[in-house]
Amino acid sequence: MTQYHCPALVDCPRADARELFDLPTASDNKCPTCQSPLVPAVQPGTAAPAGGSSKKTLLAGGGAVVLALAAAGAWYLSHRPAAAPASATAAAPAAAAPAATPPAEPAAASHGIVPDAAETAALKRQGETQLVSGAAGDAELASSKAAANELIKLAVAKLAQGKLEDAEKDLLAAKEKDQRQSLVNYNLGVLRVRQNRTDDALKELEASFMKGFPYFDQLAQDSDLAPLRKDARFAALLKRYQPAK
């Protein structure tokens, strides 16, 4: 038997109550209240396992997935923020290339964290490859994760512009597409701080940490979380979930 918990903090009373379920080890255990996929309970001082979401049986054929991919691409092109003007400063001479390039990390901003662009591109390619190979279910899953990342990117841009209601709509849409993406809850936490909803912000941040949020260095640079840094509850969350250096 394995202990599981519901990760849907704010949305599910059993998640808010930190209720544990003793169930046989399986990948399709769901919360009896909100039907969110259950995740193994996190022990204090350790990071939550990233894990993959349960694969669901799909009735839609490959044609429906193609339409979903096309619609997601058209929506993004019509909603993406305008590109910033190019800098007039001349680029410095390129330095010698290092022997090895470290893995890319999501971009840290003063208003949330954006998913890594390379990860999003890889998810899109994965969806296209799986669709061609006939794995429609896997293709839809990868495409949904890529769409969620794009929505998070839009939401962070709107946070920076002070468009809080629009940012919230994008984040909730991203949550529908990928419930296990920790950056959805993290950026919702940032949004709640901006709305002066401290209790809800702490719940969203804990939900993010429970889903395996690994970007604590970027969190330390996020100026929107400044109001929480003297809150004992926030310090307790970091102590529980942030890996020791």
Side-chain angles (χ1 to χ4, degrees):
M1 302 290 284
T2 301
Q3 283 194 328
Y4 293 86
H5 64 81
C6 177
L9 286 174
V10 181
D11 297 328
C12 176
R14 293 197 171 190
D16 291 342
R18 311 297 194 277
E19 184 173 348
L20 297 177
F21 305 91
D22 290 314
L23 298 170
T25 301
S27 62
D28 58 352
N29 289 322
K30 294 184 178 180
C31 174
T33 298
C34 69
Q35 295 301 306
S36 295
L38 296 176
V39 297
V42 178
Q43 297 299 322
T46 60
S53 60
S54 305
K55 292 185 178 178
K56 52 187 178 181
T57 304
L58 298 174
L59 300 178
V65 179
V66 172
L67 291 175
L69 285 169
W75 189 96
Y76 171 64
L77 288 174
S78 65
H79 288 75
R80 64 181 178 183
S87 172
T89 305
T101 303
E105 293 183 343
S110 60
H111 305 289
I113 298 178
V114 177
D116 177 38
E119 175 190 346
T120 303
L123 285 168
K124 290 179 179 179
R125 290 193 299 271
Q126 179 181 345
E128 293 168 357
T129 301
Q130 290 169 332
L131 182 61
V132 171
S133 67
D138 292 337
E140 183 177 2
L141 182 62
S143 299
S144 292
K145 289 182 177 181
N149 284 1
E150 296 286 13
L151 286 164
I152 295 170
K153 181 179 178 181
L154 288 172
V156 171
K158 291 173 183 177
L159 277 173
Q161 298 167 6
K163 299 178 180 179
L164 303 187
E165 292 185 5
D166 291 341
E168 183 170 5
K169 290 177 183 178
D170 287 340
L171 288 171
L172 293 178
K175 192 175 187 179
E176 288 293 324
K177 294 194 174 290
D178 187 2
Q179 294 185 9
R180 289 185 176 273
Q181 171 55 278
S182 64
L183 289 180
V184 172
N185 296 97
Y186 174 82
N187 287 300
L188 277 170
V190 171
L191 175 68
R192 299 306 180 215
V193 173
R194 296 279 297 276
Q195 295 172 329
N196 296 317
R197 295 167 56 181
T198 302
D199 291 345
D200 291 335
L202 291 168
K203 287 182 180 179
E204 293 290 0
L205 290 172
E206 183 170 13
S208 175
F209 298 162
M210 291 170 68
K211 292 177 182 179
F213 175 86
Y215 312 115
F216 288 96
D217 288 342
Q218 287 87 341
L219 177 151
Q221 302 170 21
D222 199 330
S223 60
D224 272 332
L225 297 183
L228 298 182
R229 301 202 189 280
K230 294 183 180 180
D231 192 310
R233 295 170 296 173
F234 181 65
L237 286 178
L238 292 180
K239 183 177 180 180
R240 180 178 182 187
Y241 291 101
Q242 184 172 7
K245 294 184 179 180

mmCIF file of all heavy atoms in Angstrom, residues 29-62:
data_model
loop_
_atom_site.group_PDB
_atom_site.id
_atom_site.type_symbol
_atom_site.label_atom_id
_atom_site.label_comp_id
_atom_site.label_asym_id
_atom_site.label_seq_id
_atom_site.Cartn_x
_atom_site.Cartn_y
_atom_site.Cartn_z
ATOM 1 N N ASN A 29 -4.889 6.221 -9.605
ATOM 2 C CA ASN A 29 -5.673 6.547 -8.430
ATOM 3 C C ASN A 29 -6.142 7.985 -8.507
ATOM 4 O O ASN A 29 -5.363 8.884 -8.840
ATOM 5 C CB ASN A 29 -4.833 6.340 -7.156
ATOM 6 C CG ASN A 29 -4.587 4.864 -6.883
ATOM 7 O OD1 ASN A 29 -5.463 4.039 -7.105
ATOM 8 N ND2 ASN A 29 -3.400 4.529 -6.395
ATOM 9 N N LYS A 30 -7.405 8.237 -8.209
ATOM 10 C CA LYS A 30 -7.958 9.590 -8.310
ATOM 11 C C LYS A 30 -8.617 9.991 -7.000
ATOM 12 O O LYS A 30 -9.080 9.147 -6.231
ATOM 13 C CB LYS A 30 -8.969 9.678 -9.460
ATOM 14 C CG LYS A 30 -8.342 9.492 -10.830
ATOM 15 C CD LYS A 30 -9.371 9.677 -11.935
ATOM 16 C CE LYS A 30 -8.716 9.543 -13.308
ATOM 17 N NZ LYS A 30 -9.698 9.726 -14.410
ATOM 18 N N CYS A 31 -8.672 11.289 -6.774
ATOM 19 C CA CYS A 31 -9.331 11.831 -5.586
ATOM 20 C C CYS A 31 -10.821 11.531 -5.678
ATOM 21 O O CYS A 31 -11.452 11.846 -6.694
ATOM 22 C CB CYS A 31 -9.076 13.328 -5.476
ATOM 23 S SG CYS A 31 -9.989 14.113 -4.132
ATOM 24 N N PRO A 32 -11.441 10.942 -4.633
ATOM 25 C CA PRO A 32 -12.873 10.626 -4.701
ATOM 26 C C PRO A 32 -13.762 11.857 -4.743
ATOM 27 O O PRO A 32 -14.927 11.763 -5.094
ATOM 28 C CB PRO A 32 -13.105 9.814 -3.422
ATOM 29 C CG PRO A 32 -12.004 10.217 -2.504
ATOM 30 C CD PRO A 32 -10.827 10.495 -3.385
ATOM 31 N N THR A 33 -13.219 13.021 -4.388
ATOM 32 C CA THR A 33 -14.038 14.247 -4.376
ATOM 33 C C THR A 33 -13.940 15.019 -5.679
ATOM 34 O O THR A 33 -14.940 15.356 -6.295
ATOM 35 C CB THR A 33 -13.624 15.158 -3.203
ATOM 36 O OG1 THR A 33 -13.865 14.462 -1.980
ATOM 37 C CG2 THR A 33 -14.428 16.459 -3.216
ATOM 38 N N CYS A 34 -12.682 15.352 -6.125
ATOM 39 C CA CYS A 34 -12.513 16.207 -7.311
ATOM 40 C C CYS A 34 -12.017 15.447 -8.535
ATOM 41 O O CYS A 34 -11.877 16.032 -9.603
ATOM 42 C CB CYS A 34 -11.555 17.356 -6.999
ATOM 43 S SG CYS A 34 -9.842 16.821 -6.758
ATOM 44 N N GLN A 35 -11.712 14.149 -8.367
ATOM 45 C CA GLN A 35 -11.250 13.300 -9.467
ATOM 46 C C GLN A 35 -9.893 13.700 -10.042
ATOM 47 O O GLN A 35 -9.529 13.278 -11.128
ATOM 48 C CB GLN A 35 -12.290 13.274 -10.600
ATOM 49 C CG GLN A 35 -13.606 12.634 -10.208
ATOM 50 C CD GLN A 35 -13.437 11.189 -9.750
ATOM 51 O OE1 GLN A 35 -12.873 10.369 -10.461
ATOM 52 N NE2 GLN A 35 -13.895 10.870 -8.540
ATOM 53 N N SER A 36 -9.115 14.527 -9.306
ATOM 54 C CA SER A 36 -7.753 14.829 -9.745
ATOM 55 C C SER A 36 -6.870 13.606 -9.521
ATOM 56 O O SER A 36 -7.076 12.849 -8.563
ATOM 57 C CB SER A 36 -7.189 16.014 -8.954
ATOM 58 O OG SER A 36 -7.909 17.186 -9.234
ATOM 59 N N PRO A 37 -5.858 13.373 -10.379
ATOM 60 C CA PRO A 37 -4.942 12.254 -10.161
ATOM 61 C C PRO A 37 -4.223 12.417 -8.832
ATOM 62 O O PRO A 37 -3.681 13.484 -8.528
ATOM 63 C CB PRO A 37 -3.965 12.358 -11.350
ATOM 64 C CG PRO A 37 -4.699 13.147 -12.381
ATOM 65 C CD PRO A 37 -5.552 14.105 -11.624
ATOM 66 N N LEU A 38 -4.246 11.364 -8.002
ATOM 67 C CA LEU A 38 -3.542 11.407 -6.717
ATOM 68 C C LEU A 38 -2.038 11.252 -6.929
ATOM 69 O O LEU A 38 -1.597 10.607 -7.883
ATOM 70 C CB LEU A 38 -4.052 10.294 -5.801
ATOM 71 C CG LEU A 38 -5.523 10.390 -5.381
ATOM 72 C CD1 LEU A 38 -5.919 9.168 -4.569
ATOM 73 C CD2 LEU A 38 -5.783 11.657 -4.581
ATOM 74 N N VAL A 39 -1.244 11.832 -6.034
ATOM 75 C CA VAL A 39 0.206 11.725 -6.112
ATOM 76 C C VAL A 39 0.721 11.165 -4.793
ATOM 77 O O VAL A 39 0.098 11.367 -3.742
ATOM 78 C CB VAL A 39 0.865 13.090 -6.402
ATOM 79 C CG1 VAL A 39 0.432 13.617 -7.748
ATOM 80 C CG2 VAL A 39 0.514 14.099 -5.333
ATOM 81 N N PRO A 40 1.858 10.458 -4.810
ATOM 82 C CA PRO A 40 2.413 9.925 -3.569
ATOM 83 C C PRO A 40 2.685 11.035 -2.571
ATOM 84 O O PRO A 40 3.079 12.139 -2.938
ATOM 85 C CB PRO A 40 3.711 9.241 -4.044
ATOM 86 C CG PRO A 40 3.470 8.942 -5.475
ATOM 87 C CD PRO A 40 2.629 10.063 -5.987
ATOM 88 N N ALA A 41 2.449 10.748 -1.286
ATOM 89 C CA ALA A 41 2.675 11.747 -0.247
ATOM 90 C C ALA A 41 4.147 12.106 -0.185
ATOM 91 O O ALA A 41 5.025 11.261 -0.349
ATOM 92 C CB ALA A 41 2.216 11.217 1.104
ATOM 93 N N VAL A 42 4.452 13.383 0.040
ATOM 94 C CA VAL A 42 5.819 13.881 0.101
ATOM 95 C C VAL A 42 6.305 13.847 1.533
ATOM 96 O O VAL A 42 5.617 14.323 2.440
ATOM 97 C CB VAL A 42 5.894 15.325 -0.437
ATOM 98 C CG1 VAL A 42 7.304 15.861 -0.326
ATOM 99 C CG2 VAL A 42 5.429 15.356 -1.861
ATOM 100 N N GLN A 43 7.463 13.279 1.755
ATOM 101 C CA GLN A 43 8.056 13.281 3.076
ATOM 102 C C GLN A 43 8.748 14.603 3.327
ATOM 103 O O GLN A 43 9.334 15.180 2.426
ATOM 104 C CB GLN A 43 9.076 12.133 3.212
ATOM 105 C CG GLN A 43 8.436 10.751 3.069
ATOM 106 C CD GLN A 43 7.385 10.477 4.126
ATOM 107 O OE1 GLN A 43 7.564 10.873 5.280
ATOM 108 N NE2 GLN A 43 6.289 9.823 3.749
ATOM 109 N N PRO A 44 8.714 15.137 4.561
ATOM 110 C CA PRO A 44 9.396 16.409 4.850
ATOM 111 C C PRO A 44 10.852 16.374 4.452
ATOM 112 O O PRO A 44 11.553 15.389 4.671
ATOM 113 C CB PRO A 44 9.234 16.542 6.387
ATOM 114 C CG PRO A 44 8.009 15.750 6.698
ATOM 115 C CD PRO A 44 8.033 14.589 5.741
ATOM 116 N N GLY A 45 11.317 17.493 3.829
ATOM 117 C CA GLY A 45 12.725 17.633 3.467
ATOM 118 C C GLY A 45 13.062 17.051 2.122
ATOM 119 O O GLY A 45 14.212 17.031 1.717
ATOM 120 N N THR A 46 12.069 16.533 1.426
ATOM 121 C CA THR A 46 12.357 15.961 0.103
ATOM 122 C C THR A 46 11.475 16.621 -0.920
ATOM 123 O O THR A 46 10.385 17.114 -0.617
ATOM 124 C CB THR A 46 12.089 14.441 0.075
ATOM 125 O OG1 THR A 46 10.717 14.215 0.381
ATOM 126 C CG2 THR A 46 12.965 13.732 1.076
ATOM 127 N N ALA A 47 11.937 16.627 -2.169
ATOM 128 C CA ALA A 47 11.156 17.218 -3.246
ATOM 129 C C ALA A 47 10.143 16.212 -3.742
ATOM 130 O O ALA A 47 10.384 15.013 -3.732
ATOM 131 C CB ALA A 47 12.067 17.659 -4.404
ATOM 132 N N ALA A 48 9.004 16.657 -4.167
ATOM 133 C CA ALA A 48 7.971 15.764 -4.674
ATOM 134 C C ALA A 48 8.397 15.175 -5.996
ATOM 135 O O ALA A 48 9.051 15.825 -6.792
ATOM 136 C CB ALA A 48 6.658 16.523 -4.861
ATOM 137 N N PRO A 49 8.041 13.911 -6.304
ATOM 138 C CA PRO A 49 8.390 13.312 -7.582
ATOM 139 C C PRO A 49 7.629 13.991 -8.694
ATOM 140 O O PRO A 49 6.477 14.361 -8.550
ATOM 141 C CB PRO A 49 7.949 11.840 -7.412
ATOM 142 C CG PRO A 49 6.897 11.877 -6.361
ATOM 143 C CD PRO A 49 7.259 13.000 -5.443
ATOM 144 N N ALA A 50 8.341 14.223 -9.813
ATOM 145 C CA ALA A 50 7.713 14.900 -10.932
ATOM 146 C C ALA A 50 6.584 14.066 -11.502
ATOM 147 O O ALA A 50 5.478 14.506 -11.689
ATOM 148 C CB ALA A 50 8.753 15.210 -12.010
ATOM 149 N N GLY A 51 6.896 12.786 -11.832
ATOM 150 C CA GLY A 51 5.866 11.868 -12.264
ATOM 151 C C GLY A 51 5.164 12.289 -13.530
ATOM 152 O O GLY A 51 5.152 13.423 -13.903
ATOM 153 N N GLY A 52 4.444 11.397 -14.169
ATOM 154 C CA GLY A 52 3.650 11.723 -15.340
ATOM 155 C C GLY A 52 2.207 11.530 -15.008
ATOM 156 O O GLY A 52 1.843 10.797 -14.112
ATOM 157 N N SER A 53 1.334 12.209 -15.659
ATOM 158 C CA SER A 53 -0.088 12.082 -15.399
ATOM 159 C C SER A 53 -0.607 10.800 -16.013
ATOM 160 O O SER A 53 -0.029 10.226 -16.921
ATOM 161 C CB SER A 53 -0.826 13.288 -15.958
ATOM 162 O OG SER A 53 -0.605 13.362 -17.335
ATOM 163 N N SER A 54 -1.732 10.333 -15.473
ATOM 164 C CA SER A 54 -2.302 9.073 -15.928
ATOM 165 C C SER A 54 -2.747 9.187 -17.365
ATOM 166 O O SER A 54 -3.323 10.184 -17.782
ATOM 167 C CB SER A 54 -3.500 8.719 -15.058
ATOM 168 O OG SER A 54 -3.144 8.687 -13.723
ATOM 169 N N LYS A 55 -2.492 8.179 -18.125
ATOM 170 C CA LYS A 55 -2.915 8.161 -19.526
ATOM 171 C C LYS A 55 -4.383 7.773 -19.572
ATOM 172 O O LYS A 55 -4.802 6.806 -18.985
ATOM 173 C CB LYS A 55 -2.090 7.167 -20.330
ATOM 174 C CG LYS A 55 -0.645 7.609 -20.477
ATOM 175 C CD LYS A 55 0.105 6.674 -21.386
ATOM 176 C CE LYS A 55 1.542 7.116 -21.580
ATOM 177 N NZ LYS A 55 2.305 6.216 -22.412
ATOM 178 N N LYS A 56 -5.145 8.560 -20.263
ATOM 179 C CA LYS A 56 -6.572 8.276 -20.351
ATOM 180 C C LYS A 56 -6.908 7.711 -21.716
ATOM 181 O O LYS A 56 -6.277 8.023 -22.708
ATOM 182 C CB LYS A 56 -7.378 9.551 -20.069
ATOM 183 C CG LYS A 56 -6.960 10.733 -20.918
ATOM 184 C CD LYS A 56 -7.667 11.979 -20.475
ATOM 185 C CE LYS A 56 -7.199 13.164 -21.311
ATOM 186 N NZ LYS A 56 -7.845 14.393 -20.894
ATOM 187 N N THR A 57 -7.940 6.894 -21.722
ATOM 188 C CA THR A 57 -8.387 6.287 -22.972
ATOM 189 C C THR A 57 -9.044 7.335 -23.825
ATOM 190 O O THR A 57 -9.897 8.070 -23.367
ATOM 191 C CB THR A 57 -9.411 5.170 -22.669
ATOM 192 O OG1 THR A 57 -8.805 4.255 -21.777
ATOM 193 C CG2 THR A 57 -9.825 4.489 -23.952
ATOM 194 N N LEU A 58 -8.652 7.449 -25.034
ATOM 195 C CA LEU A 58 -9.148 8.509 -25.917
ATOM 196 C C LEU A 58 -10.023 7.903 -26.996
ATOM 197 O O LEU A 58 -9.691 6.878 -27.594
ATOM 198 C CB LEU A 58 -7.980 9.246 -26.567
ATOM 199 C CG LEU A 58 -7.075 9.936 -25.577
ATOM 200 C CD1 LEU A 58 -5.876 10.498 -26.298
ATOM 201 C CD2 LEU A 58 -7.828 11.025 -24.875
ATOM 202 N N LEU A 59 -11.155 8.576 -27.242
ATOM 203 C CA LEU A 59 -12.045 8.138 -28.301
ATOM 204 C C LEU A 59 -11.820 8.941 -29.575
ATOM 205 O O LEU A 59 -12.217 8.546 -30.656
ATOM 206 C CB LEU A 59 -13.512 8.309 -27.837
ATOM 207 C CG LEU A 59 -13.876 7.505 -26.572
ATOM 208 C CD1 LEU A 59 -15.322 7.790 -26.177
ATOM 209 C CD2 LEU A 59 -13.682 6.020 -26.813
ATOM 210 N N ALA A 60 -11.217 10.141 -29.398
ATOM 211 C CA ALA A 60 -10.988 10.977 -30.581
ATOM 212 C C ALA A 60 -9.890 10.381 -31.441
ATOM 213 O O ALA A 60 -8.890 9.928 -30.928
ATOM 214 C CB ALA A 60 -10.617 12.390 -30.156
ATOM 215 N N GLY A 61 -10.025 10.441 -32.707
ATOM 216 C CA GLY A 61 -9.040 9.928 -33.652
ATOM 217 C C GLY A 61 -7.938 10.911 -33.920
ATOM 218 O O GLY A 61 -7.908 12.009 -33.361
ATOM 219 N N GLY A 62 -7.024 10.530 -34.797
ATOM 220 C CA GLY A 62 -5.902 11.396 -35.130
ATOM 221 C C GLY A 62 -6.353 12.716 -35.728
ATOM 222 O O GLY A 62 -5.724 13.742 -35.508
#
